[in-house]
Amino acid sequence: MRGLIQIFIFVLIGLVLLWFGYTLYFSPQSIFFGFEKKKRRRRPRGEGTPGAPQTCPVCSALLSPGELVKSVAFPSFTGKDRLMYISGCNHCLNGDRLRSCPVCGSRLRDNEILVARMFDRPRRSHVHIIGCSRCRLKK
Ligand SMILES: [Zn+2]
Ligand SMILES: [Zn+2]
């Protein structure tokens, strides 16, 4: 009986590791794995409306169609939404732009991330920011 429980625990650990390796990039056009990698002419860098599509949630940079926001999505526990960690776009990850949390407004360091819920929808997935590693994950 004990051996069975140990095997079960090992399988569980393996599954958890798999989930953490499940990294995906999303952009408004291609939510899954950045399959759409058409390179188009870059728009001049401008300010986007926070929360609007094609806008980086971390630095509110307006993104060109090919530009991706780096993020990690975890598998759903409820079937409705998925937990998502967003680290930012290439502008704010390079340090070109200020990184801030849209919920608490605090400046984010390079290693700090935003926490979001992602709702999978047939045509376009919806991402709702619920906080950052400071205001959301702090105990
Ligand atoms: Zn950004
Ligand atoms: Zn915050």
Side-chain angles (χ1 to χ4, degrees), residues 56-87:
C56 173
V58 186
C59 68
S60 70
L62 202 61
L63 300 177
S64 311
E67 289 180 316
L68 302 170
V69 174
K70 200 183 176 197
S71 60
V72 184
F74 299 93
S76 175
F77 293 105
T78 58
K80 280 181 190 166
D81 60 336
R82 302 206 272 162
L83 188 68
M84 195 174 194
Y85 288 175
I86 300 170
S87 28

Side-chain angles (χ1 to χ4, degrees), residues 15-24 32 71-86 113-120 137:
L15 276 172
V16 168
L17 285 175
L18 260 174
W19 286 352
F20 276 92
Y22 187 72
T23 304
L24 66 87
F32 291 109
S71 60
V72 184
F74 299 93
S76 175
F77 293 105
T78 58
K80 280 181 190 166
D81 60 336
R82 302 206 272 162
L83 188 68
M84 195 174 194
Y85 288 175
I86 300 170
I113 45 99
L114 290 183
V115 183
R117 285 186 194 286
M118 187 168 87
F119 301 89
D120 287 317
L137 302 179

Side-chain angles (χ1 to χ4, degrees), residues 18-127:
L18 260 174
W19 286 352
F20 276 92
Y22 187 72
T23 304
L24 66 87
Y25 290 80
F26 82 94
S27 78
Q29 273 76 36
S30 55
I31 202 87
F32 291 109
F33 305 106
F35 274 143
E36 195 174 301
K37 277 190 173 169
K38 284 176 200 163
K39 290 227 167 175
R40 287 176 217 175
R41 232 180 274 161
R42 281 195 178 188
R43 258 187 249 160
R45 273 178 217 170
E47 284 295 318
T49 322
Q54 300 202 338
T55 304
C56 173
V58 186
C59 68
S60 70
L62 202 61
L63 300 177
S64 311
E67 289 180 316
L68 302 170
V69 174
K70 200 183 176 197
S71 60
V72 184
F74 299 93
S76 175
F77 293 105
T78 58
K80 280 181 190 166
D81 60 336
R82 302 206 272 162
L83 188 68
M84 195 174 194
Y85 288 175
I86 300 170
S87 28
C89 67
N90 53 338
H91 302 302
C92 50
L93 287 173
N94 286 345
D96 291 348
R97 295 179 61 90
L98 285 176
R99 294 156 50 79
S100 62
C101 170
V103 178
C104 68
S106 62
R107 292 272 157 82
L108 301 182
R109 289 192 215 102
D110 287 352
N111 58 343
E112 290 175 320
I113 45 99
L114 290 183
V115 183
R117 285 186 194 286
M118 187 168 87
F119 301 89
D120 287 317
R121 287 182 188 159
R123 297 208 81 197
R124 175 190 255 175
S125 293
H126 174 72
V127 176

